[in-house]
């Protein structure tokens, strides 16, 4: 394996749209959402570990998930777990990780990848990432992977690329916010728009320089701790200074400012597993067109349902179509799939009425 290859695995999110399975104390990336035997973070780690050395994979997460990470990823040492003492969006944690890597290896190139995406063709994924790594190693550019849209999805941001670009890597014209349905249809018709998967590659030198140019205060804040990184003094420095960082995403902080961004249209299939509906789509139905995880299901006049229950539990469904049915110890959710985006609001209502122990 190339010793200059690094990975930063983003594992700090809560995944509240997967409630009640995903909770603030045990989020979705630590669950086996598809019933494969691996949790999402385990699957992502193994995927990256095929071309990135084990010791070069960093896990970015919140302090409260430290033990979960070490329990589920036994190959990872404590020093590879980069802990955020406060929630400050994606820009500060990416800069922090990049500076740690830069101190270890100034020639490092890194991938920033979510821990909860699902990718089937892992060889194609590795090929796409290393193609970007090669460009980032030789040029001062930022790279991202884009997903060819299969329908006018309004739940993703889009990447607009220049049509006269190269055969593989395309120069990014601009990043576009989540569109309404009509705008999404226009994007697809134009043919030079990709879904933004939130997977990025760059050299540590390039990304740190980008922060220096576009986010000087953020850069100065973290650069002041360079002597502490990867030492026993790091934790104390981060605990004091990290909460001072601006709450801003990498998209707003860097990507919307840089003029040297390239996108590679992915050659692998991809699912962001952001909602129960996306999990249903990934599983392509199943028993009588019902997607099932864990349970044994008897379905009568019932289809289009996403059903999850403890392994082996018998679930009988009659006359119910297109519902999310999740049975988890103290919570039973029976909810229309068409309203899945409202689950966050349902969770808030449950907390108000019954207490935070259900969140």
């Amino acid at each position: 394996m190339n010793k200059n290859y690094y990975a930063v695995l983003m594992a700090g999110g809560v995944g509240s749209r997967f409630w009640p399975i995903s909770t603030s104390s045990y989020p979705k990336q630590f669950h086996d959402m598809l019933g494969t035997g691996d949790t999402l973070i385990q699957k992502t780690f193994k995927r990256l570990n095929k071309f990135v050395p084990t010791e070069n994979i960093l896990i970015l997460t919140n302090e409260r998930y430290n033990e979960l990470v070490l329990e589920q990823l036994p190959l990872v040492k404590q020093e590879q777990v980069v802990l955020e003492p406060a929630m400050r969006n994606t820009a500060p944690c990416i800069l922090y990780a990049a500076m740690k890597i830069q101190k270890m290896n100034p020639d490092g190139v890194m991938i920033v990848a979510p821990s909860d995406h699902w990718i089937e063709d892992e060889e194609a994924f590795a090929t796409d990432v290393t193609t970007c790594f090669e460009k980032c190693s030789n040029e001062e550019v930022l790279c991202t992977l884009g997903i060819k849209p299969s329908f006018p999805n309004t739940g993703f941001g889009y990447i607009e690329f220049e049509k006269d670009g190269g055969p593989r890597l395309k120069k990014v014209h601009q990043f576009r916010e989540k569109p309404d349905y009509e705008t999404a249809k226009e994007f697809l018709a134009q043919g030079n728009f990709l879904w933004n998967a939130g997977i990025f590659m760059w050299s540590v030198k390039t990304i740190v320089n980008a922060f220096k140019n576009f986010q000087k205060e953020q850069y100065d804040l973290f650069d002041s701790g360079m002597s502490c990184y990867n030492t026993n003094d790091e934790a104390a420095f981060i605990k004091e200074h990290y909460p001072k960082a601006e709450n801003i995403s990498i998209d707003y902080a860097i990507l919307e400012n840089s003029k040297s961004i390239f996108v590679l249209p992915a050659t692998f299939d991809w699912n962001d597993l952001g909602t129960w509906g996306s999990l249903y789509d990934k599983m392509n139905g199943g028993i009588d067109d019902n997607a099932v995880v864990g349970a044994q299901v008897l379905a009568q006049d019932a289809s289009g349902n996403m059903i999850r229950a403890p392994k082996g539990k018998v679930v009988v469904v009659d006359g119910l179509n297109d519902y999310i049915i999740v049975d988890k110890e103290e919570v039973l959710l029976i909810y229309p799939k068409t309203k899945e985006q409202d689950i966050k609001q349902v969770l808030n209502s449950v907390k108000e009425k019954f207490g935070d122990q259900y969140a």
Side-chain angles (χ1 to χ4, degrees), residues 138-209:
N138 298 313
E139 301 176 45
E140 196 165 336
V141 298
L142 308 174
C143 288
T144 183
L145 298 178
I147 310 299
K148 188 174 180 181
S150 54
F151 66 98
N153 195 317
T154 59
F156 298 142
Y158 284 70
I159 303 169
E160 180 182 359
F161 61 85
E162 297 179 2
K163 290 185 176 181
D164 57 354
R168 293 209 66 198
L169 280 151
K170 316 287 186 182
K171 185 85 184 303
V172 172
H173 178 63
Q174 62 181 327
F175 289 83
R176 303 290 289 268
E177 296 291 327
K178 296 176 183 177
D180 58 33
Y181 184 70
E182 290 303 318
T183 304
K185 286 202 298 185
E186 291 176 14
F187 287 172
L188 267 65
Q190 290 183 46
N192 61 322
F193 283 81
L194 301 166
W195 288 337
N196 183 358
I199 303 172
F200 307 108
M201 287 108 338
W202 38 56
S203 70
V204 292
K205 178 182 177 182
T206 297
I207 191 62
V208 170
N209 282 343

Side-chain angles (χ1 to χ4, degrees), residues 289-319:
D289 203 29
N290 297 299
V292 178
V293 177
Q296 300 182 84
V297 172
L298 175 63
Q300 301 281 346
D301 189 26
S303 66
N305 298 301
M306 176 68 235
I307 304 169
R308 179 177 175 125
K311 188 174 182 180
K313 187 165 189 175
V314 174
V315 177
V316 180
V317 186
D318 191 336

